[in-house]
Every structure is written in C-alpha cells, then in structure tokens.
Amino acid sequence: MPEIGEVARAVHYIRKHLVGKTLQKVTAVEDGNVFGKVGTSHTEIMTKLTGKKVVDAGQQGKYFWMIMSSPPHPVMHFGMAGWFKFKSEHSYYYKKKDNEESEEWPPKYWKVLFETDGKGNEKVEAAFVDLRRFGRFRLVDCPAKDIREHTPLAENGPDPVQDKDVVTVDWLKELCQRKKVPIKAMLLDQANISGIGNWVGDEIMYDARMHPEQYANTLSADEVKKLHKSIHYVCGTAVDLLADSDQFPESWLFKHRWGKGKKDAPTALPNGEKIVFLTVGGRTSAVIPSVQKKTGPVAKEISEAEEDVKPKKAKASKKQKAEVVEDPEEKPKRTATKKRAKEVDSEEETKATPKKRARGKKASAAGNEDVEEVPKTNGHAGKPNKFAKKGGKNTKVEETDEEAELEAQPNKPPLKKGTRTATPRNEGAEEVVDRRRRSGRLRK
C-alpha cells in the first residue's frame, strides 16, 4: 500500500506536470467503490472538474489533493494498489525495467483521465488508476485553505512531515499514555497519526530498537523521545527521497524485509541478525529480536500483570470450611421453600389424577342413569375436543373395562373371564355396537 513516501512522490509529479495547467477534458468511468462509497459520481467528477485550472497540490499522510481554481477540489486515496500515472513520464515508485515496453494509454484499470489544453506548452495526459478498487476519489466543496478542516482529512491525525510543529515529544508522550495498545498498532491508526503504514511502522520500530508488541502506555520518557526521533527520521527520509528505495540507507530493514514465504529469501540481515515475522495490529511485522527488546509487558502479559496487582481472596482451608456455621435464619427459609414446593406438587398431582382416570376408564350410561364425563381436550385447558358432544346420537363412547360395566349393572350375572358384552341398548347404544362390529371388536 502506498504510504507517506509514495504519496509524496505522487504529489511531486502532480506539481511537476499539472499545476498551472487547465483541464480541457476529464473522463471518469462509473465505479461504485471508488466514487460511490464517498458520495461522488463519475458524472459529477467530469462536469465539475472540466475546464478548471490546477493551482496546487497537497498531502496529509496517505491522502492527497489538487487545489482547483474554484471549488470543489478532488481529494484522493490510493487504497491498496492505486496510483497516479502520467503518459509522458514513468512516475511509479517501482523502477521501470530496461527491457520493459512503454505502457499502453490509457492504462489498465484507469478510473479518471485528465487532459490539459496544451496552450503554451505540450499537452499533458494523466490517469488515476486502481487495480483493486480500494482507492477513493471524492470532491470536497470548500475554500482551498479549509480543505483540511473537512472530511476525510479532519478525521485523520497530523502528518509527521507536514505538521512537525504538532508532532512534538510532549504530543507523542500524551498520545502514548492514553493508548493501551501495541506501539505499532498505535502508529498504524490513521486517526492518531497520518501516513504511517506497515513498512514505515516496521522501520520506525527497528530504528527505535523497540518491540512492536509492547504497549504504548508502558514506554518511559526516554523511550518516547527515541520513538519521536525515529518517526521524524524515517518519515522525513522516505518523503525527501520520494520513496525511491534504491536511495534508502543500507542499514534500513526495508532492504531485507520482503522475503517472507519466498524461496531462497534472506532470513537475516547482512550482519547476521535474524528476521522474524509477527502479526501486530492485524499486519505482518518484520522484527529483529536481537535488538528489539521488550522493556514492558505485552498483550497477555499486561493483563496478567494487572491481575497480580489486584488483591486476591484467600482460600479457606478444609478446617475453616468445617467450622463455618450457616445463618440460622436462612436455613428455615430454604426448608420452608422446599416444603412449599412439595405441597404445590402434591396438590397438582391430586388435581390431575381424577382427570386421567376419567379419560382412561370412561363409562357409558347404564340404564337411564347419566355418567358425568370429563371433556377431552386438545392440549389447551378449558377447550374441549371439537368432536366430543355430551349425550345424543353423536356421543363418542370409548370401549370400557368389563369389570367397571358389571359394577354399573348389579342385576346382571358376572361374566366369565374372556367373554365380551355389548353396551346396553340405551340411547346411542346401536351406534356403538355398529361401530364395534365394523372395527372387528365385537363378534357376530
């Protein structure tokens, strides 16, 4: 991802080729990610930038912008793989190979094309490109002098190069004291400080001889001073050299940190110091353990250190537990509660028992006597089964136990074991007999 040095390079070429020229033609492709997510449309970009003069360009961390002759002004972010290309000159921070042919124009993955009028000098063609579409291109409608007071610049921290008077030792000390996070994670957060990305963060940590996992709020006053010095040194050097890695100091970690996962890649610095890779702040971090020592607790260690400070309750011995006497007022309450629960269970069981028996042994009427039946439900209390009607021809009578029928008919002789009898021919009895015959339960 382009960081503070790479963005400074893009601003340098905009000032070199576009500042002082009028944009005769601006073309943009429709892209909901690059434009839409920041509230701008490709048609708005074309209509509001065409015909305007580029007055200046500026930078705050990873954001950069062009100051136009009148608002709005385009504010851009490269995302993961964006860049600002020029047809007349190779502006990319990766060096062009000697045998590499000239790139086609317009370039692949272009989002916005700019063409100057060419009056008084040669025509300039430039393009904002973005392979992965994580870049952002928006229009900010405000006076040029107030552009950093508006979104998205207002939500970002100071630029360590553009705002040297803000990023002081005292400012950094106060920031570290209120940030209980790993040092590198604090630096990567653009809301704290602008422009520091993964490789710049690793270089700062290596130059300051600090471990990236150590928590920022554990740094001493001297360590904060060292960190402050490294921030300005690394960021300032990257910007001054326009991210030209060939000119970076040979002592920098940058020269040797790109070998992770590659065959025959260096695993140590030229002096033999081993390179290891850790994940800090969600990013892969290159670390030299031999010089980047932890002087304070990190991650899990800081939580454990805090636990040691908290007063711990002493565990009672077996003898002490045996001598513990329960509060006499609490025990009866618990006993009464259990007793009451048992009484409630008994009452519910008593209420439920007659209903179960009445359903299981439902007797039909004997002679002219009526036997009270409990309405059968469908699982809802108080709602009888819609098929059950008391009395009449539609009475639903279930097969009953023979001994219960004998008790209901004292004038009948006792039945022998295994014999069956039909329900007495009372009201609705014929239907019962017919139903039993159809079901095969009654012999003819």
Side-chain angles (χ1 to χ4, degrees):
M1 175 189 289
E3 302 179 30
I4 191 169
E6 290 84 354
V7 174
R9 185 181 185 89
V11 172
H12 165 78
Y13 280 103
I14 291 173
R15 286 174 175 163
K16 179 180 179 181
H17 293 294
L18 289 178
V19 169
K21 297 180 174 63
T22 300
L23 302 179
Q24 183 181 29
K25 184 179 180 180
V26 178
T27 309
V29 296
E30 184 176 1
D31 194 309
N33 279 6
V34 178
F35 309 130
K37 288 191 175 180
V38 290
T40 307
S41 67
H42 69 295
T43 55
E44 189 179 10
I45 290 169
M46 291 188 289
T47 57
K48 293 189 176 181
L49 295 183
T50 301
K52 290 186 179 180
K53 187 177 181 179
V54 181
V55 178
D56 198 1
Q59 172 186 5
Q60 180 181 326
K62 297 181 183 181
Y63 280 97
F64 67 105
W65 58 88
M66 293 192 295
I67 299 298
M68 309 306 293
S69 53
S70 64
H73 312 284
V75 177
M76 295 156 277
H77 190 290
F78 285 138
M80 294 293 292
W83 193 243
F84 210 99
K85 293 187 175 184
F86 292 86
K87 186 178 182 180
S88 59
E89 184 177 4
H90 180 79
S91 62
Y92 205 55
Y93 49 92
Y94 285 151
K95 295 296 182 181
K96 185 178 180 180
K97 297 179 181 179
D98 295 335
N99 59 350
E100 188 177 352
E101 297 181 0
S102 298
E103 188 177 16
E104 60 179 306
W105 197 266
K108 280 186 176 182
Y109 315 112
W110 67 272
K111 301 302 174 184
V112 185
L113 291 176
F114 304 92
E115 293 182 25
T116 64
D117 55 12
K119 292 180 180 180
N121 44 42
E122 64 176 315
K123 181 179 179 179
V124 176
E125 294 183 57
F128 179 88
V129 299
D130 188 5
L131 164 65
R132 300 183 65 180
R133 301 173 66 215
F134 287 114
R136 298 292 179 260
F137 191 114
R138 76 185 79 201
L139 298 176
V140 178
D141 194 354
C142 70
K145 62 182 180 64
D146 299 330
I147 195 167
R148 293 187 65 179
E149 305 301 322
H150 290 72
T151 299
L153 304 175
E155 288 79 23
N156 280 256
D159 183 304
V161 176
Q162 307 298 327
D163 306 311
K164 286 184 179 180
D165 57 333
V166 176
V167 185
T168 63
V169 174
D170 291 337
W171 176 89
L172 184 60
K173 182 179 179 181
E174 191 275 333
L175 177 65
C176 291
Q177 288 177 344
R178 60 186 171 87
K179 293 295 178 181
K180 186 181 173 182
V181 295
I183 307 171
K184 186 183 175 183
M186 180 191 74
L187 296 178
L188 292 181
D189 188 345
Q190 301 301 296
N192 297 326
I193 187 168
S194 293
I196 298 176
N198 202 37
W199 80 259
V200 173
D202 282 350
E203 204 65 57
I204 291 171
M205 291 289 94
Y206 175 62
D207 184 75
R209 299 300 190 261
M210 293 181 179
H211 199 284
E213 287 185 321
Q214 183 172 337
Y215 273 46
N217 62 340
T218 66
L219 296 180
S220 65
D222 289 339
E223 288 174 325
V224 172
K225 289 181 180 179
K226 286 177 62 179
L227 179 62
H228 177 264
K229 183 180 178 181
S230 296
I231 289 173
H232 283 290
Y233 164 64
V234 174
C235 293
T237 303
V239 169
D240 292 342
L241 298 177
L242 300 178
D244 185 351
S245 57
D246 289 344
Q247 298 184 50
F248 286 170
E250 290 299 322
S251 61
W252 274 24
L253 178 63
F254 182 94
K255 298 278 189 175
H256 315 282
R257 72 182 303 278
W258 306 104
K260 182 185 178 184
K262 296 181 180 179
K263 187 177 181 181
D264 301 327
T267 57
L269 299 180
N271 60 8
E273 293 174 335
K274 186 178 179 182
I275 303 173
V276 299
F277 294 92
L278 306 173
T279 300
V280 184
R283 304 297 301 277
T284 298
S285 303
V287 183
I288 311 299
S290 58
V291 297
Q292 293 178 255
K293 303 292 186 180
K294 302 174 185 177
T295 60
V298 302
K300 184 181 178 182
E301 295 174 6
I302 197 167
S303 299
E304 292 175 349
E306 290 176 348
E307 289 295 329
D308 291 339
V309 176
K310 294 179 181 179
K312 296 182 178 180
K313 294 181 180 180
K315 293 183 179 180
S317 63
K318 292 182 179 180
K319 185 177 181 181
Q320 290 172 330
K321 289 179 180 179
E323 293 175 354
V324 174
V325 180
E326 293 184 351
D327 190 340
E329 294 182 2
E330 290 185 0
K331 191 169 183 180
K333 291 181 181 178
R334 292 198 298 270
T335 306
T337 303
K338 291 181 180 180
K339 185 177 180 180
R340 176 59 185 158
K342 289 182 179 180
E343 290 175 357
V344 171
D345 292 340
S346 300
E347 290 176 5
E348 291 179 353
E349 200 174 338
T350 305
K351 292 177 181 178
T353 303
K355 293 184 180 179
K356 292 179 181 178
R357 288 177 180 173
R359 291 177 188 171
K361 294 185 178 182
K362 196 180 293 181
S364 60
N368 292 325
E369 295 179 0
D370 290 332
V371 179
E372 184 179 358
E373 294 183 8
V374 177
K376 189 175 182 180
T377 66
N378 287 322
H380 302 284
K383 293 185 179 180
N385 190 308
K386 63 182 179 179
F387 298 109
K389 295 181 181 179
K390 188 174 181 180
K393 295 184 178 181
N394 292 327
T395 302
K396 184 179 179 182
V397 183
E398 298 181 3
E399 185 177 0
T400 59
D401 187 88
E402 285 82 352
E403 294 181 0
E405 291 185 6
L406 285 176
E407 293 177 1
Q409 304 174 49
N411 297 327
K412 295 263 185 175
L415 289 174
K416 294 181 180 180
K417 188 176 181 180
T419 60
R420 291 178 178 268
T421 180
T423 305
R425 290 187 176 274
N426 198 11
E427 184 178 359
E430 293 181 357
E431 284 78 6
V432 175
V433 174
D434 291 341
R435 182 175 63 80
R436 290 187 179 180
R437 283 177 177 170
R438 286 195 301 272
S439 62
R441 295 180 183 176
L442 192 65
R443 296 175 185 175
K444 294 182 180 179

